[in-house]
Amino acid sequence: MSISRWWTETTAALGDHLPLPLATLLLVLATALTATAWYTFPAWLPRRLPRLHRRRRTEGTARKPETPPVTVASPPSAGPVGTEVMADRLAAEGRYDEAVRERLRGMLHQLTDRRVVQVRPGMTVAEVVTEAGAHHPPAEPPLSAAAAIFSEVWYAQRPATAEHDHRMRDHAGRLGDLLAAAPPAKDDDR
């Protein structure tokens, strides 16, 4: 039996039991309900789905001790030393993307602690480099190189490698040396 013949026989059998306008209306309503459910998919699901009950353990099986969750995020006021330690820990775990970000955060902490730059919410990395170059020109080369690595990893979404982390560590060290050699900026200098 061909598909066209099956379709003709099926619609004829349906037409014997339902009038064609009513069948069309039901088909349109079913399509509209399906489309609405598809469009609003997450909203109509319950927030918490029922869980299946686990089987109870038999007395012969040993239970694993539960380990407390490990917190990875650094406190907001960790400063350059805290971000450096966090970056080293992330790099040791192979999480180089996050290590690059933490090293840049440490560099920004160094710049704000030495009052070279006042970082404001919403500032881009390029704005920080420009402002740092204007107030302390020797700091611009390592900072712009670090910003280029950060932009490549975070904005271009290229995976970071150990080489990226090593270069960021070198740039952060060079920036720290340059800032330590210069006297701290005074508030009225800017």
Side-chain angles (χ1 to χ4, degrees), residues 43-71:
W44 52 266
L45 276 180
R47 287 198 186 271
R48 194 171 169 141
L49 296 174
R51 298 176 82 177
L52 297 175
H53 296 287
R54 293 183 183 176
R55 282 196 214 167
R56 294 182 185 235
R57 296 179 189 263
T58 60
E59 292 181 27
T61 58
R63 189 172 210 187
K64 285 197 247 178
E66 293 188 21
T67 57
V70 178
T71 307

Short mmCIF file of all heavy atoms in Angstrom, two decimals, residues 43-71:
data_model
loop_
_atom_site.label_atom_id
_atom_site.label_comp_id
_atom_site.label_asym_id
_atom_site.label_seq_id
_atom_site.Cartn_x
_atom_site.Cartn_y
_atom_site.Cartn_z
N ALA A 43 9.31 26.68 31.51
CA ALA A 43 8.42 27.31 32.47
C ALA A 43 7.37 26.34 33.01
O ALA A 43 6.96 26.46 34.16
CB ALA A 43 7.72 28.51 31.82
N TRP A 44 6.92 25.41 32.25
CA TRP A 44 5.85 24.53 32.73
C TRP A 44 6.36 23.27 33.38
O TRP A 44 5.59 22.46 33.87
CB TRP A 44 4.85 24.20 31.63
CG TRP A 44 5.41 23.67 30.36
CD1 TRP A 44 5.73 24.40 29.26
CD2 TRP A 44 5.73 22.32 30.05
NE1 TRP A 44 6.23 23.59 28.28
CE2 TRP A 44 6.24 22.30 28.74
CE3 TRP A 44 5.66 21.12 30.73
CZ2 TRP A 44 6.65 21.14 28.11
CZ3 TRP A 44 6.08 19.97 30.10
CH2 TRP A 44 6.55 19.98 28.81
N LEU A 45 7.67 23.06 33.40
CA LEU A 45 8.22 21.91 34.12
C LEU A 45 8.27 22.24 35.60
O LEU A 45 8.55 23.37 35.98
CB LEU A 45 9.64 21.62 33.65
CG LEU A 45 9.81 20.78 32.42
CD1 LEU A 45 11.28 20.60 32.11
CD2 LEU A 45 9.15 19.44 32.56
N PRO A 46 8.01 21.29 36.47
CA PRO A 46 8.17 21.59 37.90
C PRO A 46 9.63 21.85 38.22
O PRO A 46 10.53 21.28 37.60
CB PRO A 46 7.66 20.31 38.58
CG PRO A 46 7.64 19.27 37.54
CD PRO A 46 7.55 19.95 36.21
N ARG A 47 9.87 22.73 39.17
CA ARG A 47 11.24 23.08 39.51
C ARG A 47 12.02 21.87 40.02
O ARG A 47 13.20 21.75 39.80
CB ARG A 47 11.28 24.17 40.56
CG ARG A 47 10.89 25.50 40.00
CD ARG A 47 11.36 26.58 40.95
NE ARG A 47 10.88 27.87 40.52
CZ ARG A 47 11.53 28.66 39.68
NH1 ARG A 47 12.67 28.28 39.21
NH2 ARG A 47 11.04 29.82 39.35
N ARG A 48 11.35 21.06 40.72
CA ARG A 48 12.04 19.89 41.27
C ARG A 48 11.28 18.64 40.86
O ARG A 48 10.15 18.43 41.27
CB ARG A 48 12.09 20.02 42.77
CG ARG A 48 13.03 19.09 43.38
CD ARG A 48 13.22 19.38 44.82
NE ARG A 48 13.94 18.23 45.32
CZ ARG A 48 14.88 18.31 46.19
NH1 ARG A 48 15.20 19.45 46.70
NH2 ARG A 48 15.50 17.23 46.58
N LEU A 49 11.91 17.86 40.05
CA LEU A 49 11.28 16.63 39.59
C LEU A 49 11.32 15.59 40.70
O LEU A 49 12.23 15.58 41.52
CB LEU A 49 12.01 16.11 38.35
CG LEU A 49 11.94 17.02 37.13
CD1 LEU A 49 12.81 16.47 36.03
CD2 LEU A 49 10.50 17.14 36.65
N PRO A 50 10.33 14.70 40.73
CA PRO A 50 10.35 13.67 41.78
C PRO A 50 11.56 12.76 41.62
O PRO A 50 12.00 12.47 40.51
CB PRO A 50 9.04 12.90 41.54
CG PRO A 50 8.56 13.30 40.20
CD PRO A 50 9.19 14.60 39.85
N ARG A 51 12.10 12.37 42.73
CA ARG A 51 13.30 11.53 42.72
C ARG A 51 12.91 10.08 42.90
O ARG A 51 11.98 9.75 43.63
CB ARG A 51 14.24 11.95 43.83
CG ARG A 51 14.70 13.37 43.67
CD ARG A 51 15.52 13.78 44.82
NE ARG A 51 16.88 13.29 44.60
CZ ARG A 51 17.87 13.53 45.41
NH1 ARG A 51 17.68 14.20 46.51
NH2 ARG A 51 19.07 13.07 45.15
N LEU A 52 13.64 9.24 42.26
CA LEU A 52 13.44 7.81 42.46
C LEU A 52 14.07 7.41 43.78
O LEU A 52 15.13 7.91 44.17
CB LEU A 52 14.08 7.03 41.31
CG LEU A 52 13.50 7.30 39.93
CD1 LEU A 52 14.31 6.57 38.88
CD2 LEU A 52 12.05 6.85 39.88
N HIS A 53 13.43 6.50 44.45
CA HIS A 53 13.98 6.04 45.73
C HIS A 53 15.11 5.07 45.48
O HIS A 53 15.00 4.17 44.64
CB HIS A 53 12.88 5.38 46.57
CG HIS A 53 11.80 6.34 46.95
ND1 HIS A 53 11.99 7.31 47.90
CD2 HIS A 53 10.53 6.48 46.50
CE1 HIS A 53 10.89 8.01 48.03
NE2 HIS A 53 9.98 7.53 47.19
N ARG A 54 16.17 5.26 46.20
CA ARG A 54 17.31 4.36 46.06
C ARG A 54 17.07 3.11 46.89
O ARG A 54 16.39 3.13 47.90
CB ARG A 54 18.59 5.03 46.55
CG ARG A 54 19.01 6.17 45.69
CD ARG A 54 20.31 6.69 46.23
NE ARG A 54 20.72 7.85 45.47
CZ ARG A 54 21.77 8.57 45.74
NH1 ARG A 54 22.54 8.24 46.76
NH2 ARG A 54 22.08 9.61 45.01
N ARG A 55 17.69 2.05 46.45
CA ARG A 55 17.62 0.83 47.24
C ARG A 55 18.46 1.01 48.49
O ARG A 55 19.50 1.65 48.49
CB ARG A 55 18.21 -0.33 46.45
CG ARG A 55 17.29 -0.86 45.44
CD ARG A 55 17.84 -2.21 45.03
NE ARG A 55 17.58 -2.43 43.64
CZ ARG A 55 18.14 -3.39 42.94
NH1 ARG A 55 19.02 -4.17 43.50
NH2 ARG A 55 17.83 -3.55 41.69
N ARG A 56 17.99 0.41 49.52
CA ARG A 56 18.77 0.48 50.76
C ARG A 56 19.97 -0.44 50.64
O ARG A 56 19.90 -1.49 50.04
CB ARG A 56 17.91 0.08 51.94
CG ARG A 56 16.83 1.07 52.18
CD ARG A 56 16.04 0.66 53.39
NE ARG A 56 14.93 1.58 53.51
CZ ARG A 56 14.70 2.26 54.60
NH1 ARG A 56 15.46 2.11 55.65
NH2 ARG A 56 13.68 3.07 54.65
N ARG A 57 21.04 -0.02 51.24
CA ARG A 57 22.25 -0.83 51.20
C ARG A 57 22.10 -2.05 52.11
O ARG A 57 21.51 -1.97 53.16
CB ARG A 57 23.45 -0.01 51.66
CG ARG A 57 23.74 1.14 50.77
CD ARG A 57 24.93 1.89 51.33
NE ARG A 57 25.12 3.12 50.61
CZ ARG A 57 25.98 3.27 49.61
NH1 ARG A 57 26.73 2.26 49.26
NH2 ARG A 57 26.10 4.41 49.00
N THR A 58 22.71 -3.07 51.66
CA THR A 58 22.73 -4.25 52.52
C THR A 58 23.80 -4.05 53.57
O THR A 58 24.69 -3.22 53.44
CB THR A 58 23.02 -5.52 51.69
OG1 THR A 58 24.28 -5.36 51.06
CG2 THR A 58 21.92 -5.76 50.67
N GLU A 59 23.74 -4.82 54.59
CA GLU A 59 24.67 -4.63 55.70
C GLU A 59 26.11 -4.95 55.32
O GLU A 59 27.04 -4.47 55.94
CB GLU A 59 24.24 -5.50 56.88
CG GLU A 59 22.95 -5.02 57.50
CD GLU A 59 22.56 -5.86 58.68
OE1 GLU A 59 23.44 -6.44 59.33
OE2 GLU A 59 21.36 -5.94 58.95
N GLY A 60 26.32 -5.72 54.28
CA GLY A 60 27.67 -6.11 53.90
C GLY A 60 28.44 -5.04 53.14
O GLY A 60 29.65 -5.07 53.06
N THR A 61 27.74 -4.06 52.55
CA THR A 61 28.45 -3.04 51.77
C THR A 61 28.87 -1.90 52.68
O THR A 61 28.13 -1.45 53.54
CB THR A 61 27.56 -2.49 50.64
OG1 THR A 61 26.38 -1.96 51.22
CG2 THR A 61 27.22 -3.57 49.64
N ALA A 62 30.08 -1.46 52.46
CA ALA A 62 30.61 -0.35 53.27
C ALA A 62 30.17 0.97 52.67
O ALA A 62 30.04 1.12 51.46
CB ALA A 62 32.13 -0.43 53.31
N ARG A 63 29.98 1.93 53.51
CA ARG A 63 29.57 3.25 53.07
C ARG A 63 30.79 4.15 53.00
O ARG A 63 31.62 4.18 53.91
CB ARG A 63 28.56 3.80 54.06
CG ARG A 63 27.92 5.05 53.60
CD ARG A 63 26.82 5.41 54.53
NE ARG A 63 25.83 6.12 53.75
CZ ARG A 63 24.79 6.70 54.27
NH1 ARG A 63 24.57 6.60 55.55
NH2 ARG A 63 23.96 7.34 53.51
N LYS A 64 30.88 4.92 51.89
CA LYS A 64 32.01 5.83 51.75
C LYS A 64 31.80 7.05 52.65
O LYS A 64 30.69 7.57 52.75
CB LYS A 64 32.10 6.34 50.31
CG LYS A 64 32.63 5.34 49.35
CD LYS A 64 33.06 6.05 48.09
CE LYS A 64 32.18 5.67 46.94
NZ LYS A 64 32.50 6.33 45.71
N PRO A 65 32.87 7.51 53.29
CA PRO A 65 32.72 8.73 54.09
C PRO A 65 32.50 9.92 53.17
O PRO A 65 33.10 10.02 52.11
CB PRO A 65 34.05 8.85 54.84
CG PRO A 65 35.01 8.06 54.02
CD PRO A 65 34.22 6.99 53.34
N GLU A 66 31.61 10.80 53.58
CA GLU A 66 31.31 11.97 52.75
C GLU A 66 32.39 13.02 52.96
O GLU A 66 32.80 13.28 54.09
CB GLU A 66 29.94 12.53 53.10
CG GLU A 66 28.83 11.60 52.72
CD GLU A 66 27.48 12.26 52.89
OE1 GLU A 66 27.42 13.50 52.91
OE2 GLU A 66 26.50 11.52 52.99
N THR A 67 32.82 13.61 51.86
CA THR A 67 33.83 14.66 51.94
C THR A 67 33.14 16.00 51.80
O THR A 67 32.19 16.16 51.03
CB THR A 67 34.87 14.51 50.81
OG1 THR A 67 34.19 14.54 49.56
CG2 THR A 67 35.63 13.22 50.96
N PRO A 68 33.58 17.00 52.55
CA PRO A 68 32.96 18.32 52.42
C PRO A 68 33.30 18.93 51.08
O PRO A 68 34.33 18.64 50.48
CB PRO A 68 33.60 19.12 53.57
CG PRO A 68 34.88 18.42 53.85
CD PRO A 68 34.65 16.97 53.52
N PRO A 69 32.41 19.79 50.55
CA PRO A 69 32.70 20.41 49.25
C PRO A 69 33.89 21.35 49.35
O PRO A 69 34.12 21.97 50.37
CB PRO A 69 31.41 21.19 48.94
CG PRO A 69 30.75 21.38 50.26
CD PRO A 69 31.15 20.22 51.11
N VAL A 70 34.65 21.42 48.27
CA VAL A 70 35.84 22.27 48.22
C VAL A 70 35.44 23.60 47.62
O VAL A 70 34.84 23.66 46.55
CB VAL A 70 36.93 21.60 47.36
CG1 VAL A 70 38.15 22.49 47.27
CG2 VAL A 70 37.28 20.26 47.94
N THR A 71 35.78 24.68 48.31
CA THR A 71 35.49 26.02 47.81
C THR A 71 36.70 26.50 47.04
O THR A 71 37.82 26.48 47.55
CB THR A 71 35.20 26.97 48.97
OG1 THR A 71 34.19 26.39 49.78
CG2 THR A 71 34.74 28.31 48.47
#
